[in-house]
Amino acid sequence: MAAAAVANGTKKIEQTGRSKSGVISGPSNPMVTPLLTDLYQFTMAYAYWKAGKQNERAVFDLYFRKNPFGGEYTIFAGLEECIKFIAHYKLTDDEITFIRSSLPPSCEDAFYNYLRGINCSDIEIYSIPEGSVVFPKVPLMRIEGPIAVVQLLETAFVNLINYASLVTTNAARHRFVVGKSKLLLEFGLRRAQGPDGGMSASRYCYMGGFDATSNVAAGNLFGIPLRGTHSHAFVSSFMSPDEINEKSLKHHGGSSVCKDFVSLVKTWLGKLKRSRLLGGIFNETNQSELAAFTSYGLAFPGSFLALVDTYDVMRSGVPNFCAVALALNDLGYSAFGIRLDSGDLAYQSCEARKFFQTIEKEFGVPGFGKMNITASNDLNEETLDALKKQGHDVDSFGIGTNLVTCYAQPALGVVFKLVEINNQPRIKLSEEVTKVSIPCKKRCFRLYGKEGYPLVDIMTGENERPPKVGERILCRHPFIESKRAYVVPQRIEELLKCFWPGSSDKTREDLPPLKEIRKRCIEQLEQMRPDHMRRLNPTPYKVSVSGKLYDFIHFLWLNEAPVGELQ
């Protein structure tokens, strides 16, 4: 995502969705154009135009049918890119020429003149704010406007929401497992599905609660904090400390210089070998690894972090790291920590922590026992949960493949359904009840209980009287008659807000910066009842309709469904 924009020198995006002049900027990904759609959207547009229906006022709901990853919640993401898309929606002459070549020659020339004049000035978009916790069947977005234009937006909208919401939810689930105190680092760029997937993953994982990314382009474009150290290749590229030519290092905050930092490191390694408390843990460490760590410490004395599993974690990697870290400490620097990338992460982290704490105690180095330990190596939600149950001493987790590819579930299943045209409600029927749409233009509310947790989301007809605090409200399952309950809400939140008013005089909601969306996501998750959030057997969150809307759904259902005849 946005790879071409970076290559072409596009400046860093102001994460308000607007430029400093107040104009909404274009899509982050230059491939998001009016041609990012399915062919049938243009064939339907021609058929609407041919029938004189292209300007009929339609209402579509964008929603999903089932929460991902076996859970009971989803995080809504991708709204800002949808707004950027429609703010700049305009077919160019070259694009229209291509469309003409892709449609049958029988299509009339006047249709292409119609396409040339299309923009989104008459489109209205009502949406749940980005970063919100959302649930199946509740419209994430309601799109109103001329039917041909709205359908031309459909594929791009579904594409922009689907992966964004899926990977944000995946990130949020990882955050929930490790808790608030651990650092989560997204390391997925090299395993993501292409540059688009990599850039989107970095952005939306940060939104979902991750703290930083290894993706430099995402750091530049979206303002996400960057983290990274070195690879095994760096360690194995060295042969011995003798090949380090520049051995001097200036004292931190001072003018004096240590002329032979390499010798200082070796001195500390000797002290560790002779240590009464550390005796027997290691003997001779790998000298090429020691050279690599020393060289890296010379390059980054204020942020030294070493990958310690190239040869042997406890017999070489950790002692070599400590020797460099202690030498840096002598010069006034504080090393950052180690990274573990293989083996038994729980055991190794605990043993490394004991090693650090022993050094702090024996050599009187304050804070050394709290050295940061980062773990990576194909981590996922399940392994994080297992580590937590085993007990570990990891402070930070670097997660890549399983996170950004959403390996546990590759798609969310967002749909885009017509619910009203020319003020006439429409319904889509199916033998599968889960695929029956909820008709008409709706308002959506979240009802909160006495303890402050959300109890239920309720959809009502647009013209129904909205629910009120302290008032007894009947909430019904949209399709199952026996599932119903009364709720007396202590707080009510209307979910759909106007993010694109079109030609109406409604006030448009601002597009908040990425950090504010991330904050909203974290706050929303904290509001949820714990049993809705747990990994195993979470309690389903209730999504309902009002009594009036329930009756209308079933009236329309019976009215539209053909009556069978038995012979």
Side-chain angles (χ1 to χ4, degrees):
M1 181 179 182
V6 174
N8 292 332
T10 301
K11 293 182 179 179
K12 179 178 175 180
I13 291 171
E14 295 292 330
Q15 280 300 306
T16 58
R18 301 180 182 218
S19 67
K20 292 179 180 178
S21 64
V23 177
I24 293 176
S25 57
S28 302
N29 188 337
M31 289 188 289
V32 179
T33 71
L35 294 189
L36 187 69
T37 190
D38 296 304
L39 178 62
Y40 81 165
Q41 307 291 11
F42 282 109
T43 61
M44 284 191 290
Y46 179 74
Y48 286 135
W49 178 85
K50 185 74 173 171
K53 286 175 62 69
Q54 75 273 18
N55 291 322
E56 291 186 4
R57 194 77 181 172
V59 180
F60 284 79
D61 284 348
L62 183 150
Y63 60 96
F64 63 98
R65 298 185 176 116
K66 187 177 180 181
N67 287 305
F69 309 117
E72 288 297 339
Y73 67 93
T74 300
I75 307 297
F76 174 49
L79 171 64
E80 181 179 321
E81 290 302 317
C82 291
I83 300 301
K84 288 180 174 182
F85 174 55
I86 64 169
H88 293 265
Y89 190 96
K90 186 73 176 174
L91 284 153
T92 66
D93 288 341
D94 286 346
E95 289 170 336
I96 291 172
T97 298
F98 178 75
I99 295 164
R100 184 191 291 269
S101 71
S102 303
L103 294 178
S106 58
C107 292
E108 299 173 31
D109 290 345
F111 170 66
Y112 301 105
N113 291 331
Y114 160 72
L115 290 181
R116 193 169 281 108
I118 284 179
N119 58 42
C120 292
S121 61
D122 202 25
I123 297 292
E124 295 178 38
I125 293 182
Y126 301 84
S127 177
I128 296 175
E130 193 161 8
S132 298
V133 176
V134 292
F135 303 98
K137 287 291 186 183
V138 178
L140 307 178
M141 300 171 69
R142 187 179 79 221
I143 303 95
E144 305 176 24
I147 188 167
V149 180
V150 176
Q151 291 221 242
L152 287 172
L153 303 175
E154 173 183 354
T155 302
F157 274 23
V158 171
N159 178 274
L160 291 168
I161 298 298
N162 208 330
Y163 177 71
S165 298
L166 185 72
V167 75
T168 306
T169 306
N170 203 17
R173 291 179 64 85
H174 282 74
R175 167 55 70 193
F176 180 76
V177 170
V178 302
K180 298 178 185 179
S181 63
K182 306 298 182 184
L183 278 175
L184 284 180
L185 315 173
E186 178 268 308
F187 285 173
L189 177 59
R190 62 181 55 200
R191 303 286 171 78
Q193 286 96 336
D196 305 341
M199 292 295 286
S200 294
S202 297
R203 178 185 189 176
Y204 294 115
C205 287
Y206 182 67
M207 184 184 295
F210 272 59
D211 298 288
T213 179
S214 64
N215 184 345
V216 177
N220 175 54
L221 202 62
F222 304 123
I224 303 170
L226 292 175
R227 290 288 188 278
T229 173
H230 60 77
S231 68
H232 295 105
F234 180 83
V235 176
S236 57
S237 72
F238 285 80
M239 300 300 292
S240 83
D242 295 337
E243 63 187 291
I244 300 175
N245 295 319
E246 180 52 60
K247 300 180 180 181
S248 64
L249 181 62
K250 187 177 180 180
H251 281 70
H252 179 65
S255 57
S256 60
V257 175
C258 171
K259 293 183 179 180
D260 193 349
F261 183 71
V262 176
S263 293
L264 182 59
V265 170
K266 289 180 177 179
T267 299
W268 268 111
L269 187 60
K271 290 181 180 179
L272 294 177
K273 284 182 186 178
R274 296 189 296 272
S275 165
R276 178 178 54 83
L277 297 177
L278 296 174
I281 294 179
F282 73 100
N283 188 13
E284 292 297 324
T285 64
N286 186 287
Q287 291 301 290
S288 65
E289 181 181 62
L290 181 65
F293 289 179
T294 303
S295 180
Y296 206 77
L298 283 164
F300 300 101
S303 56
F304 175 55
L305 191 152
L307 177 60
V308 296
D309 69 336
T310 304
Y311 301 109
D312 187 291
V313 172
M314 294 309 301
R315 292 188 179 93
S316 182
V318 169
N320 279 337
F321 163 79
C322 290
V324 177
L326 288 164
L328 289 171
N329 181 74
D330 283 350
L331 304 184
Y333 297 98
S334 296
F336 186 78
I338 63 170
R339 177 162 73 95
L340 303 169
D341 192 47
S342 60
D344 187 334
L345 299 177
Y347 173 77
Q348 288 179 162
S349 66
C350 292
E351 290 302 302
R353 179 69 66 209
K354 290 176 188 175
F355 201 98
F356 298 151
Q357 289 171 342
T358 299
I359 287 174
E360 178 174 356
K361 182 179 180 181
E362 182 167 352
F363 297 102
V365 184
F368 203 93
K370 296 179 181 178
M371 195 71 69
N372 182 278
I373 299 174
T374 298
S376 49
N377 186 30
D378 280 336
L379 298 175
N380 58 29
E381 191 182 336
E382 186 175 344
T383 55
L384 291 175
D385 190 48
L387 283 169
K388 191 174 183 179
K389 290 174 180 174
Q390 290 172 41
H392 65 81
D393 260 306
V394 177
D395 303 294
S396 310
F397 293 96
I399 308 173
T401 307
N402 291 287
L403 174 69
V404 304
T405 64
C406 295
Y407 188 83
Q409 181 175 326
L412 178 57
V414 170
V415 295
F416 194 93
K417 297 299 179 185
L418 177 70
V419 295
E420 186 174 292
I421 188 162
N422 295 331
N423 297 315
Q424 296 299 310
R426 307 306 297 149
I427 190 170
K428 188 263 180 191
L429 300 180
S430 172
E431 291 182 3
E432 299 177 55
V433 173
T434 56
K435 290 190 173 183
V436 175
S437 64
I438 298 176
C440 79
K441 189 189 297 188
K442 297 174 286 292
R443 295 176 72 180
C444 306
F445 302 89
R446 184 158 293 170
L447 310 184
Y448 292 79
K450 292 180 180 179
E451 295 180 344
Y453 296 124
L455 294 176
V456 61
D457 285 4
I458 185 170
M459 292 173 269
T460 71
E462 185 193 29
N463 297 319
E464 281 189 57
R465 188 170 69 87
K468 292 184 177 181
V469 170
E471 183 177 81
R472 194 164 178 251
I473 301 163
L474 177 62
C475 299
R476 303 202 63 169
H477 187 285
F479 308 120
I480 302 175
E481 188 175 19
S482 61
K483 288 191 175 183
R484 53 188 179 169
Y486 283 105
V487 176
V488 181
Q490 303 304 302
R491 181 164 77 88
I492 297 174
E493 177 187 6
E494 184 157 11
L495 298 177
L496 295 174
K497 304 179 187 303
C498 180
F499 281 89
W500 190 260
S503 56
S504 73
D505 59 358
K506 293 173 183 172
T507 302
R508 181 172 73 194
E509 297 284 327
D510 287 333
L511 295 173
L514 180 58
K515 287 183 179 179
E516 284 187 23
I517 300 173
R518 180 178 185 272
K519 182 182 177 184
R520 176 182 180 82
C521 176
I522 293 169
E523 289 172 350
Q524 286 259 308
L525 290 166
E526 288 174 349
Q527 287 180 357
M528 296 303 300
R529 215 170 63 202
D531 58 310
H532 295 309
M533 304 290 294
R534 63 192 178 208
R535 285 191 69 245
L536 296 177
N537 302 315
T539 303
Y541 182 83
K542 294 176 176 60
V543 172
S544 67
V545 296
S546 65
K548 285 185 178 180
L549 184 53
Y550 175 88
D551 291 338
F552 182 74
I553 292 168
H554 290 264
F555 164 78
L556 194 61
W557 191 338
L558 293 174
N559 196 52
E560 294 289 344
V563 180
E565 184 172 324
L566 300 178
Q567 297 281 339

